Amino acid sequence: MPLAHSGATARSVKPRRRHHRLLTAFIILAAALALALFGAWNWVDSNLNSSQWLPGTPNTPGTSWLILGSDERDGTTGQDGTTGARTDTILVLTKPNSGPSSLISIPRDSLVQVGQDYMKINAVYQISKTDLVKQVETVTGQHIDHVAEIQFGGLKSVVDALGGVKLCYDHTVDDVNSGMKWQAGCHVANGDQALAFSRMRYSDPNGDFGRAARQRQVIAAIMSTAASGSTLSNFGKTTATAEAGLRAIRVDEHTTPYTLATMAMAFRSATGGSGVTGSLYWKDAGYYVDGVGSCVLLDTAKNHELFAALGRGEHKAGTVGTLAEANQQQ
């Protein structure tokens, strides 16, 4: 009997010890991960280049980011005689509480009114950052929660850190202004090629609208490659990409590492098969205004209706905008 009692005690203790060891290991692992995440958070947070952007307008459904591609001529490939910073790319990324995320381009030549003056929305950036956000909110009817300004010259370093990204274009191009040389099809592009791919417009049959689509493609390819298993499992590549990315981006005063990560995930979702992409609706893509030139006259009522549906997550996946509708009718 004593031997039987002793054996029963031994069998009952071993599972508890094993469970205790697993629990201890899990606690140690969780603590290590928490410390690593805390360290990464502090590193990203301390390297964010932030400034005042947001005008403090009332919220609307969902969360929206204004993503700007600033083509600041800094000696990179493809100079066309233009100097200074230009918001060549204006994108609104919206993540509803439920439903598909969306990524919509605003044509840089969209006609807007600032005070008593008419101008292209691209020119508002030269007045002030806050005025640009206000104009985007007026055009879309959507509150902007955060802003991320990407220097296209900085994309070169990001793409090179990733070892290149896969891009596709159906036309063969040799464009002097942008420096883009492309054989029709899909290719893995290095930093210089991705930069030229983002800048080219004169050889594109759709002009700025085609360039906006290619710029969305470049950023989506960067997001996808950066989040791939081959990148995340390579510590050196991940670190180099993160450092290059932080150098290339400027953000609003309320952006944190968390909101930046959320933006990246929303962008990836929007550019996937279940997202909504495209451009704004317009009435006239060649509307002439004295002193301003040829502009894009937007369909404000239709755009407000579009963004209200996107913010509520009620719009079905697919491509939207006047250009998308025109292509569907061909």
Side-chain angles (χ1 to χ4, degrees):
M1 290 294 294
L3 289 174
H5 175 74
S6 176
T9 302
R11 284 192 297 273
S12 64
V13 169
K14 284 181 181 179
R16 285 200 196 121
R17 286 179 177 171
R18 187 177 297 110
H19 175 73
H20 178 71
R21 286 196 297 269
L22 289 173
L23 181 61
T24 301
F26 176 78
I27 292 172
I28 292 172
L29 178 60
L33 287 172
L35 288 172
L37 289 172
F38 179 74
W41 177 290
N42 285 339
W43 177 75
V44 172
D45 193 47
S46 64
N47 282 280
L48 283 177
N49 185 355
S50 60
S51 58
Q52 187 78 29
W53 280 92
L54 304 175
T57 52
N59 287 331
T60 51
T63 302
S64 291
W65 292 262
L66 173 60
I67 301 176
L68 303 171
S70 180
D71 201 3
E72 189 169 342
R73 297 305 186 173
D74 52 5
T76 49
T77 306
Q79 300 246 6
D80 58 6
T82 303
T83 58
R86 302 173 298 167
T87 50
D88 278 352
T89 304
I90 305 174
L91 302 168
V92 178
L93 172 67
T94 303
K95 181 182 183 301
N97 292 332
S98 63
S101 294
S102 61
L103 183 68
I104 307 299
S105 297
I106 298 178
R108 67 173 197 156
D109 292 338
S110 298
L111 182 65
V112 296
Q113 184 176 2
V114 181
Q116 300 300 314
D117 299 321
Y118 287 97
M119 63 183 66
K120 297 177 182 180
I121 196 169
N122 182 39
V124 181
Y125 181 85
Q126 303 295 338
I127 299 174
S128 81
K129 296 175 179 179
T130 302
D131 280 326
L132 178 59
V133 176
K134 285 180 180 177
Q135 287 300 321
V136 171
E137 291 180 333
T138 299
V139 164
T140 63
Q142 181 80 6
H143 169 75
I144 297 298
D145 296 277
H146 296 288
V147 180
E149 180 187 15
I150 301 168
Q151 302 296 311
F152 273 109
L155 285 184
K156 175 183 179 299
S157 299
V158 176
V159 172
D160 285 337
L162 288 169
V165 294
K166 183 180 179 180
L167 301 174
C168 299
Y169 189 58
D170 292 336
H171 303 279
T172 296
V173 175
D174 188 355
D175 184 73
V176 176
N177 292 293
S178 66
M180 179 178 171
K181 297 187 180 199
W182 194 266
Q183 190 68 32
C186 297
H187 309 283
V188 175
N190 62 24
D192 284 325
Q193 292 166 332
L195 182 59
F197 191 92
S198 300
R199 284 179 171 168
M200 191 275 288
R201 65 178 171 130
Y202 292 108
S203 298
D204 193 311
N206 290 319
D208 278 331
F209 302 111
R211 176 168 65 170
R214 279 181 283 105
Q215 289 170 345
R216 291 197 303 267
Q217 184 185 162
V218 170
I219 300 174
I222 289 173
M223 296 286 190
S224 177
T225 306
S228 67
S230 60
T231 299
L232 295 176
S233 62
N234 186 326
F235 179 77
K237 182 184 287 189
T238 301
T239 302
T241 302
E243 289 175 346
L246 288 171
R247 286 194 301 268
I249 194 169
R250 300 168 185 168
V251 296
D252 67 274
E253 62 274 27
H254 296 312
T255 289
T256 67
Y258 173 76
T259 59
L260 204 58
T262 303
M263 180 193 76
M265 289 186 288
F267 196 107
R268 192 179 186 192
S269 175
T271 54
S274 60
V276 183
T277 60
S279 185
L280 290 183
Y281 290 98
W282 68 81
K283 297 178 180 179
D284 189 345
Y287 188 77
Y288 188 83
V289 178
D290 288 339
V292 181
S294 180
C295 305
V296 178
L297 181 63
L298 299 175
D299 190 334
T300 301
K302 202 166 184 179
N303 289 323
H304 282 197
E305 182 182 344
L306 169 66
F307 276 89
L310 294 174
R312 294 191 299 265
E314 296 173 353
H315 202 291
K316 66 179 182 179
T319 307
V320 300
T322 298
L323 184 62
E325 291 184 350
N327 289 336
Q328 289 171 3
Q329 294 170 2
Q330 292 177 356

